[in-house]
Amino acid sequence: MVKLRLKRCGRKQRAVYRIVAIDVRFRREGRDLQKVGFYDPIKNQTYSNVPAILYFLERGAQPTGTVHDISKKAEIFKELRFNQTKFG
């Protein structure tokens, strides 16, 4: 099973996170399938590769709670619903 989760990067006391698609059997800093975004909680900046996130969500990937909240703010789920009604 694939999940969209945060992978910690950065230095001590200055964490930044990558949003990655990763197999649930791998640990947090383990090998990821693809990097699909970036999140900086200190500057409150987010970058999302929307087509890549939609690709994994359409194939059954489950976002973790934090990634779900970040995606909700970026309105990615609205695009997912739009794509499903458009093609299916």
Side-chain angles (χ1 to χ4, degrees), residues 73-86:
K73 286 181 184 176
E75 298 180 349
I76 291 173
F77 294 115
K78 288 183 181 178
E79 294 186 33
L80 179 66
R81 286 192 201 104
F82 176 72
N83 285 347
Q84 287 177 346
T85 58
K86 184 177 177 183

Side-chain angles (χ1 to χ4, degrees), residues 18-54:
R18 287 188 182 135
I19 302 170
V20 296
I22 192 167
D23 194 306
V24 294
R25 295 172 287 187
F26 295 138
R27 57 186 187 174
R28 183 183 69 182
E29 277 82 24
R31 184 173 51 103
D32 51 58
L33 300 173
Q34 185 177 355
K35 295 173 184 72
V36 295
F38 175 83
Y39 174 60
D40 186 353
I42 295 173
K43 294 181 181 177
N44 201 17
Q45 291 179 333
T46 305
Y47 166 76
S48 300
N49 184 353
V50 177
I53 292 174
L54 292 176

